[in-house]
Amino acid sequence: MKKEIVILIGAGLCGLYTAFLLQKKGIEVLILEANTRIGGRIKTITGTTAVTMEMGATWFGNQHRHLLEVLQTLELPYFRQYTKGISLFETMSFVPPQKFEISDSEEPSFRIEGGTATLIEKLVSEIGMQHIKTQTKIVAIKEQNNKLIVTDSSGNSYSADKVISTIPPNLLVNSVIFEPKLPDNFTQLAKKTHTWMGESIKFAVEYKTPFWKQNNYSGTLFSQASIIQEMYDHSNADNSGFALKGFLNGGTAVLSFEERKEKVIAQLTTFFGPEASDYVAYYENIWREEPLTFQPYEQLVLAHQNNGHSLFKTPLLNDKLYVSGAETATQNPGYMDGAIFAAKTISSQF
């Protein structure tokens, strides 16, 4: 009996973990990834001081048991987000920020030691790079002779018994042509399904020293008035590298890189003093400018809208096309835990 061949679209966490689970069942997998890099919305960058900074998925908690289980299985250590000291909350630009302390008894957030990308690297090493093809953007999927023929933007074709898409549903229906066409109710739903992190602007500022900790600040900051809306300490687990990291106001996507950087440093200097202007480097990632993640919506879509919708459970194209990914998860959709849960859900059907 010939081995079943399954093609996975997208080498993010869900795609990789699905491939990992299917391989354990003896199924032949091929992951096709449009980007030059692997990891999807997990994107760890390393600064010149060797600090790792997350431009994508970062935190998880005790409630994310599917992810915690995977980290345990793959023997990947994680650590508690640093929150000790004074945290700041700015309500209006002309009023000094309120100071508060985060209690130790609060539900902790965790980060993966060495950066979230270590989870991706570990899965890639388990799956084998020979089963992953990058720079392969899928443009068409056609049903033919009880198989699915997948075509990429270079005109290469791949034949599979089944195809699992793990990219955001809105991206899928806006970038792939299907033959026969997908049901209209599915296409309309996908177009109204929120892509988690799609509108986010993440930033990080790398420093030589954690001057905020030395001055008894936690690095945690919330603001309703300035460019940085939310920020946290982002030092390495072993305190070998230091950074502050968070989210910028989404409306500032219209500004230039230099303009945003200037505003960020000005805000940090106002709150933490002149030491904040003595930085190593500034980094950012505007997720709405990543066409391989985000596609604009045809109408207003709210956060998590239609995530985990029951229609995503039904395979399409005569049970040969499965739609998965973090947005389809019925538990913690959009998050890393949702990506793992979606992978477990889909692979259990094979």
Side-chain angles (χ1 to χ4, degrees):
M1 185 179 140
K2 194 177 160 293
K3 246 187 171 182
E4 183 172 55
I5 294 177
V6 174
I7 283 178
L8 290 126
I9 301 171
L13 180 55
C14 183
L16 293 172
Y17 194 60
T18 306
F20 173 79
L21 294 174
L22 292 178
Q23 278 184 338
K24 290 212 175 309
K25 295 185 170 198
I27 295 168
E28 182 85 28
V29 297
L30 174 63
I31 306 174
L32 302 177
E33 168 57 56
N35 215 329
T36 50
R37 63 175 192 86
I38 293 170
R41 283 167 281 177
I42 290 176
K43 188 177 183 182
T44 307
I45 57 174
T46 305
T48 52
T49 62
V51 67
T52 55
M53 292 163 286
E54 305 300 345
M55 293 291 113
T58 309
W59 296 281
F60 52 97
N62 285 321
Q63 73 275 30
H64 295 148
R65 55 188 183 85
H66 304 288
L67 176 62
L68 291 171
E69 191 187 304
V70 170
L71 295 176
Q72 203 175 341
T73 306
L74 298 175
E75 297 176 352
L76 293 171
Y78 54 93
F79 66 107
R80 188 174 177 153
Q81 170 65 42
Y82 183 85
T83 54
K84 286 184 177 62
I86 301 161
S87 297
L88 301 172
F89 179 52
E90 182 188 37
T91 50
M92 288 173 280
S93 56
F94 51 86
V95 180
Q98 296 165 20
K99 296 180 175 183
F100 68 99
E101 297 218 7
I102 296 165
S103 161
D104 265 354
S105 61
E106 274 208 19
E107 195 58 40
S109 285
F110 302 108
R111 284 162 46 205
I112 298 172
E113 278 188 28
T116 317
T118 56
L119 171 55
I120 297 297
E121 287 152 16
K122 182 75 173 167
L123 285 170
V124 169
S125 72
E126 293 279 339
I127 295 159
M129 207 44 220
Q130 68 275 25
H131 300 291
I132 306 170
K133 201 168 182 285
T134 56
Q135 299 182 63
T136 307
K137 187 179 190 301
I138 303 312
V139 293
I141 296 175
K142 181 181 182 177
E143 191 181 5
Q144 199 176 315
N145 306 331
N146 209 28
K147 297 257 187 208
L148 289 183
I149 308 299
V150 177
T151 308
D152 68 22
S153 55
S154 307
N156 303 309
S157 288
Y158 311 84
S159 171
D161 298 293
K162 290 186 173 152
V163 171
I164 303 170
S165 168
T166 66
I167 64 176
N170 183 42
L171 175 64
L172 175 71
V173 296
N174 275 305
S175 58
V176 179
I177 293 164
F178 293 92
E179 198 181 318
K181 277 190 172 152
L182 298 184
D184 198 48
N185 64 338
F186 177 85
T187 304
Q188 289 313 311
L189 171 74
K191 285 181 177 177
K192 292 181 198 134
T193 298
H194 183 251
T195 299
W196 189 241
M197 232 161 60
E199 301 83 359
S200 297
I201 306 178
K202 282 213 159 179
F203 82 97
V205 187
E206 179 183 6
Y207 288 100
K208 283 196 181 74
T209 64
F211 65 88
W212 57 95
K213 289 185 189 178
Q214 291 157 4
N215 298 332
N216 193 35
Y217 283 102
S218 64
T220 302
L221 158 68
F222 300 101
S223 172
Q224 295 170 338
S226 306
I227 186 166
I228 301 171
Q229 287 190 323
E230 199 181 317
M231 184 182 80
Y232 305 91
D233 172 87
H234 213 65
S235 308
N236 287 356
D238 60 0
N239 272 319
S240 61
F242 313 100
L244 291 167
K245 191 210 83 163
F247 298 86
L248 301 183
N249 178 320
T252 61
V254 296
L255 302 177
S256 71
F257 174 87
E258 284 302 324
E259 286 169 326
R260 279 188 299 271
K261 174 171 126 176
E262 208 170 288
K263 283 182 185 294
V264 165
I265 301 305
Q267 186 179 349
L268 293 177
T269 306
T270 301
F271 288 177
F272 297 124
E275 287 172 290
S277 60
D278 185 21
Y279 61 97
V280 176
Y282 168 85
Y283 308 88
E284 64 175 30
N285 202 89
I286 303 173
W287 282 96
R288 68 166 68 240
E289 289 176 8
E290 302 257 355
L292 301 176
T293 299
F294 181 78
Q295 289 281 321
Y297 308 107
E298 289 175 0
Q299 59 194 75
L300 179 72
V301 169
L302 303 172
H304 289 305
Q305 189 171 320
N306 290 320
N307 283 187
H309 195 284
S310 59
L311 204 56
F312 292 127
K313 288 192 173 83
T314 314
L316 304 159
L317 301 179
N318 292 312
D319 296 348
K320 288 190 282 292
L321 174 68
Y322 293 77
V323 177
S324 183
E327 276 67 27
T328 70
T330 52
Q331 291 182 22
N332 296 311
Y335 300 105
M336 290 189 280
D337 193 67
I340 296 288
F341 185 70
K344 287 164 93 166
T345 305
I346 217 89
S347 60
S348 68
Q349 295 174 48
F350 284 75

